[in-house]
Amino acid sequence: MLTEDTIEKLRGLTMSKRARSALEIMLERGTVTTKVLQEEYGLDHPPRAIRDLKDAGVLVGSHRVKESGKTISEYFLEDVSAPSPGGAPRNPIKKADKDRIVAEFGGRCAVCGTASNRLQLDHRVPFAIAGDPPEWTGDTAMPLCPSDNRAKSWTCKHCENWTTRNPELCQRCMWCHPENYDHIAMKPERRLVVTAHDKAGVETLRWLEVHAAEQNKSSSEVAIQAIASYQELG
Ligand SMILES: [Zn+2]
Ligand SMILES: [Zn+2]
Protein backbone atom coordinates (compact mmCIF):
# COMPACT_ATOMS: atom_id res chain seq x y z
CA MET A 1 0.00 0.00 0.00
CA LEU A 2 1.20 3.51 -0.81
CA THR A 3 1.21 5.84 2.20
CA GLU A 4 -0.40 9.31 2.15
CA ASP A 5 3.14 10.76 2.26
CA THR A 6 4.20 8.81 -0.81
CA ILE A 7 1.07 9.79 -2.75
CA GLU A 8 1.67 13.44 -1.89
CA LYS A 9 5.31 13.15 -3.02
CA LEU A 10 4.28 11.53 -6.33
CA ARG A 11 1.71 14.26 -7.00
CA GLY A 12 4.36 16.91 -6.29
CA LEU A 13 6.66 15.70 -9.10
CA THR A 14 6.96 17.71 -12.30
CA MET A 15 5.56 15.73 -15.24
CA SER A 16 3.70 16.00 -18.54
CA LYS A 17 -0.09 16.24 -18.69
CA ARG A 18 -0.48 12.69 -20.06
CA ALA A 19 1.81 11.34 -17.32
CA ARG A 20 -0.28 13.10 -14.67
CA SER A 21 -3.47 11.55 -16.09
CA ALA A 22 -1.89 8.08 -15.98
CA LEU A 23 -0.69 8.68 -12.39
CA GLU A 24 -4.15 9.72 -11.17
CA ILE A 25 -5.76 6.72 -12.90
CA MET A 26 -3.28 4.35 -11.25
CA LEU A 27 -3.74 5.98 -7.84
CA GLU A 28 -7.47 5.40 -8.24
CA ARG A 29 -7.48 1.90 -9.70
CA GLY A 30 -4.22 0.36 -8.48
CA THR A 31 -3.43 -1.33 -11.78
CA VAL A 32 -4.30 -0.31 -15.30
CA THR A 33 -3.81 -1.84 -18.75
CA THR A 34 -2.86 -0.01 -21.94
CA LYS A 35 -6.33 -0.94 -23.27
CA VAL A 36 -8.15 0.69 -20.34
CA LEU A 37 -5.97 3.83 -20.55
CA GLN A 38 -6.82 4.15 -24.21
CA GLU A 39 -10.46 3.05 -24.35
CA GLU A 40 -11.86 4.23 -21.01
CA TYR A 41 -9.74 7.33 -20.46
CA GLY A 42 -8.99 8.33 -24.05
CA LEU A 43 -5.21 8.47 -23.61
CA ASP A 44 -3.71 8.63 -27.11
CA HIS A 45 -0.41 6.87 -26.51
CA PRO A 46 -0.47 4.94 -23.21
CA PRO A 47 3.17 3.70 -23.48
CA ARG A 48 4.35 7.30 -23.92
CA ALA A 49 2.41 8.43 -20.85
CA ILE A 50 4.03 5.62 -18.86
CA ARG A 51 7.49 6.56 -20.18
CA ASP A 52 6.92 10.21 -19.17
CA LEU A 53 5.88 9.01 -15.74
CA LYS A 54 9.10 7.00 -15.34
CA ASP A 55 11.15 9.95 -16.61
CA ALA A 56 9.59 12.09 -13.87
CA GLY A 57 11.05 9.65 -11.32
CA VAL A 58 7.96 7.51 -10.61
CA LEU A 59 8.71 3.80 -10.26
CA VAL A 60 6.20 2.02 -12.50
CA GLY A 61 6.09 -1.77 -12.52
CA SER A 62 4.48 -3.80 -15.28
CA HIS A 63 3.56 -7.31 -16.24
CA ARG A 64 1.96 -8.89 -19.30
CA VAL A 65 -1.68 -9.97 -19.07
CA LYS A 66 -3.96 -11.82 -21.50
CA GLU A 67 -7.10 -10.04 -22.54
CA SER A 68 -9.48 -11.49 -25.13
CA GLY A 69 -6.66 -13.56 -26.60
CA LYS A 70 -4.17 -10.67 -26.83
CA THR A 71 -1.19 -10.07 -24.54
CA ILE A 72 -1.05 -6.49 -23.28
CA SER A 73 0.81 -4.60 -20.54
CA GLU A 74 -0.66 -3.91 -17.13
CA TYR A 75 0.99 -1.15 -15.08
CA PHE A 76 1.11 -0.45 -11.37
CA LEU A 77 2.92 1.96 -9.04
CA GLU A 78 5.84 0.40 -7.18
CA ASP A 79 5.78 1.08 -3.48
CA VAL A 80 8.57 3.66 -3.16
CA SER A 81 8.09 3.76 0.61
CA ALA A 82 9.31 0.16 0.83
CA PRO A 83 12.68 0.27 2.60
CA SER A 84 15.79 -0.10 0.48
CA PRO A 85 18.92 -1.94 1.72
CA GLY A 86 20.46 -0.27 4.75
CA GLY A 87 17.17 1.53 5.41
CA ALA A 88 18.10 4.38 3.06
CA PRO A 89 15.12 6.04 1.34
CA ARG A 90 14.50 5.20 -2.31
CA ASN A 91 15.76 7.86 -4.67
CA PRO A 92 14.76 6.85 -8.19
CA ILE A 93 16.86 8.28 -11.02
CA LYS A 94 15.33 11.12 -13.03
CA LYS A 95 15.83 11.57 -16.76
CA ALA A 96 17.70 14.87 -16.25
CA ASP A 97 20.26 13.10 -13.99
CA LYS A 98 20.68 10.30 -16.51
CA ASP A 99 21.19 12.71 -19.43
CA ARG A 100 23.75 14.73 -17.45
CA ILE A 101 25.76 11.66 -16.37
CA VAL A 102 25.69 10.04 -19.84
CA ALA A 103 27.03 13.35 -21.27
CA GLU A 104 29.81 13.34 -18.62
CA PHE A 105 30.92 9.98 -20.03
CA GLY A 106 30.81 11.30 -23.60
CA GLY A 107 27.87 9.02 -24.43
CA ARG A 108 30.05 5.91 -23.94
CA CYS A 109 29.76 2.74 -21.87
CA ALA A 110 31.95 3.12 -18.76
CA VAL A 111 33.26 -0.45 -19.11
CA CYS A 112 33.88 -1.07 -22.84
CA GLY A 113 33.84 2.50 -24.18
CA THR A 114 31.24 1.74 -26.86
CA ALA A 115 29.31 4.82 -27.99
CA SER A 116 25.61 4.03 -28.05
CA ASN A 117 22.24 5.73 -27.77
CA ARG A 118 20.93 2.72 -25.86
CA LEU A 119 23.06 3.23 -22.74
CA GLN A 120 21.50 2.34 -19.41
CA LEU A 121 22.37 4.13 -16.18
CA ASP A 122 23.41 1.77 -13.41
CA HIS A 123 24.20 2.04 -9.70
CA ARG A 124 27.99 1.78 -9.32
CA VAL A 125 27.49 -0.15 -6.06
CA PRO A 126 24.53 -2.50 -6.69
CA PHE A 127 21.17 -1.37 -5.28
CA ALA A 128 20.90 -4.62 -3.30
CA ILE A 129 24.13 -3.78 -1.46
CA ALA A 130 23.86 -0.06 -0.73
CA GLY A 131 20.41 1.10 -1.89
CA ASP A 132 19.94 4.26 -3.95
CA PRO A 133 22.65 6.92 -3.59
CA PRO A 134 21.53 10.18 -1.91
CA GLU A 135 22.68 11.98 -5.06
CA TRP A 136 22.95 10.73 -8.65
CA THR A 137 26.34 11.78 -10.04
CA GLY A 138 29.14 10.26 -12.12
CA ASP A 139 30.58 8.99 -8.81
CA THR A 140 27.49 7.02 -7.80
CA ALA A 141 26.25 5.92 -11.24
CA MET A 142 27.66 5.14 -14.68
CA PRO A 143 26.29 4.49 -18.16
CA LEU A 144 26.60 0.89 -19.37
CA CYS A 145 25.82 -0.70 -22.73
CA PRO A 146 23.01 -3.31 -22.40
CA SER A 147 25.55 -6.11 -22.73
CA ASP A 148 27.83 -4.87 -19.93
CA ASN A 149 24.81 -4.07 -17.76
CA ARG A 150 23.72 -7.72 -18.02
CA ALA A 151 27.29 -8.90 -17.41
CA LYS A 152 27.57 -6.68 -14.31
CA SER A 153 24.25 -7.96 -12.89
CA TRP A 154 25.27 -11.56 -13.42
CA THR A 155 28.79 -11.07 -12.02
CA CYS A 156 27.63 -9.18 -8.91
CA LYS A 157 24.94 -11.79 -8.14
CA HIS A 158 27.59 -14.53 -8.31
CA CYS A 159 30.20 -12.52 -6.38
CA GLU A 160 31.30 -13.59 -2.89
CA ASN A 161 30.48 -10.08 -1.70
CA TRP A 162 26.80 -10.49 -2.70
CA THR A 163 26.22 -12.26 0.64
CA THR A 164 28.81 -10.32 2.69
CA ARG A 165 27.49 -7.00 1.31
CA ASN A 166 30.47 -4.78 2.01
CA PRO A 167 30.05 -1.60 -0.11
CA GLU A 168 33.76 -0.69 0.35
CA LEU A 169 34.80 -3.89 -1.43
CA CYS A 170 32.43 -3.02 -4.31
CA GLN A 171 34.04 0.43 -4.56
CA ARG A 172 37.38 -1.20 -5.47
CA CYS A 173 35.86 -3.66 -8.01
CA MET A 174 36.17 -3.19 -11.78
CA TRP A 175 32.39 -3.52 -12.09
CA CYS A 176 32.00 -0.50 -9.79
CA HIS A 177 34.97 1.67 -10.84
CA PRO A 178 36.37 0.52 -14.20
CA GLU A 179 38.54 3.69 -14.03
CA ASN A 180 40.38 2.58 -10.87
CA TYR A 181 40.12 -0.86 -9.25
CA ASP A 182 42.19 -3.54 -7.52
CA HIS A 183 39.99 -6.63 -8.05
CA ILE A 184 37.30 -8.06 -10.33
CA ALA A 185 34.46 -9.63 -8.32
CA MET A 186 36.94 -10.40 -5.49
CA LYS A 187 39.53 -12.03 -7.79
CA PRO A 188 42.99 -10.40 -8.21
CA GLU A 189 42.43 -9.80 -11.93
CA ARG A 190 42.91 -7.02 -14.44
CA ARG A 191 41.06 -6.60 -17.72
CA LEU A 192 41.95 -4.86 -20.97
CA VAL A 193 39.44 -4.72 -23.82
CA VAL A 194 41.26 -4.38 -27.16
CA THR A 195 39.36 -3.59 -30.36
CA ALA A 196 41.22 -3.09 -33.65
CA HIS A 197 39.62 -0.54 -35.95
CA ASP A 198 42.07 -0.48 -38.90
CA LYS A 199 43.33 -3.15 -41.29
CA ALA A 200 46.83 -3.42 -39.76
CA GLY A 201 45.39 -3.72 -36.26
CA VAL A 202 42.93 -6.40 -37.35
CA GLU A 203 45.79 -8.38 -38.98
CA THR A 204 47.88 -8.08 -35.80
CA LEU A 205 45.08 -9.39 -33.60
CA ARG A 206 44.38 -12.22 -36.06
CA TRP A 207 48.10 -13.16 -35.92
CA LEU A 208 47.87 -13.15 -32.10
CA GLU A 209 44.96 -15.64 -32.16
CA VAL A 210 46.66 -17.98 -34.66
CA HIS A 211 49.99 -17.79 -32.82
CA ALA A 212 48.29 -18.48 -29.46
CA ALA A 213 46.36 -21.47 -30.86
CA GLU A 214 49.59 -22.94 -32.28
CA GLN A 215 51.16 -22.78 -28.83
CA ASN A 216 48.05 -24.05 -27.05
CA LYS A 217 47.81 -20.77 -25.18
CA SER A 218 45.01 -18.26 -24.77
CA SER A 219 45.16 -14.94 -26.63
CA SER A 220 45.37 -13.22 -23.23
CA GLU A 221 48.50 -15.19 -22.27
CA VAL A 222 50.29 -14.34 -25.52
CA ALA A 223 49.19 -10.69 -25.38
CA ILE A 224 50.55 -10.35 -21.83
CA GLN A 225 53.82 -12.03 -22.92
CA ALA A 226 54.09 -9.61 -25.84
CA ILE A 227 53.44 -6.60 -23.61
CA ALA A 228 56.03 -7.86 -21.09
CA SER A 229 58.69 -8.11 -23.86
CA TYR A 230 57.78 -4.63 -25.02
CA GLN A 231 58.12 -3.44 -21.42
CA GLU A 232 61.64 -4.98 -21.16
CA LEU A 233 62.71 -2.97 -24.21
CA GLY A 234 61.96 0.09 -22.08
ZN1 LIG B 1 29.92 -1.83 -22.59
ZN1 LIG C 1 30.14 -5.97 -7.24
Side-chain angles (χ1 to χ4, degrees), residues 124 126 129 152 155-156 159 161-162 170 173 175-176 185:
R124 285 204 184 238
I129 291 185
K152 180 182 199 277
T155 308
C156 290
C159 176
N161 194 36
W162 192 250
C170 282
C173 174
W175 287 108
C176 179

Side-chain angles (χ1 to χ4, degrees), residues 14-229:
T14 310
M15 63 183 78
S16 69
K17 213 177 137 213
R18 60 186 177 203
R20 194 163 298 283
S21 309
L23 173 66
E24 287 305 323
I25 295 163
M26 276 194 273
L27 284 174
E28 193 186 302
R29 302 178 59 131
T31 63
V32 74
T33 60
T34 38
K35 189 166 177 259
V36 166
L37 282 173
Q38 196 153 25
E39 290 176 7
E40 288 183 34
Y41 294 90
L43 244 71
D44 277 344
H45 298 284
R48 283 190 211 163
I50 298 298
R51 198 182 52 208
D52 283 2
L53 206 49
K54 289 180 179 170
D55 287 348
V58 179
L59 287 181
V60 183
S62 69
H63 43 233
R64 310 286 286 165
V65 290
K66 278 232 179 232
E67 222 189 79
S68 38
K70 270 176 73 184
T71 308
I72 56 172
S73 290
E74 184 172 63
Y75 302 103
F76 52 91
L77 297 169
E78 300 259 30
D79 191 353
V80 285
S81 58
S84 73
R90 294 287 330 240
N91 180 22
I93 183 91
K94 293 186 180 64
K95 190 174 183 295
D97 293 321
K98 183 188 169 183
D99 291 349
R100 196 190 63 245
I101 296 167
V102 168
E104 251 177 66
F105 283 78
R108 291 175 180 277
C109 169
V111 168
C112 70
T114 300
S116 161
N117 53 11
R118 297 195 46 210
L119 294 172
Q120 300 160 347
L121 203 75
D122 197 33
H123 296 75
R124 285 204 184 238
V125 177
F127 172 76
I129 291 185
D132 284 324
E135 257 187 283
W136 289 96
T137 68
D139 288 327
T140 58
M142 60 183 166
L144 293 177
C145 66
S147 160
D148 277 319
N149 200 359
R150 278 193 302 275
K152 180 182 199 277
S153 300
W154 191 91
T155 308
C156 290
K157 282 191 186 94
H158 293 83
C159 176
E160 222 179 279
N161 194 36
W162 192 250
T163 40
T164 333
R165 287 168 196 267
N166 178 350
E168 266 90 66
L169 284 176
C170 282
Q171 293 284 2
R172 306 204 308 267
C173 174
M174 185 206 75
W175 287 108
C176 179
H177 278 117
E179 307 92 336
N180 180 20
Y181 62 93
D182 60 26
H183 68 91
I184 302 179
M186 307 295 282
K187 294 196 184 81
E189 293 176 344
R190 198 90 196 160
R191 182 175 303 184
L192 174 68
V193 178
V194 180
T195 308
H197 294 286
D198 57 14
K199 204 167 166 246
V202 169
E203 294 282 301
T204 303
L205 291 191
R206 195 194 303 279
W207 174 87
L208 179 83
E209 287 163 17
V210 173
H211 188 69
E214 280 168 4
Q215 298 190 38
N216 264 328
K217 288 182 177 159
S218 68
S219 296
S220 289
E221 281 175 288
V222 175
I224 291 165
Q225 251 176 28
I227 295 167
S229 320

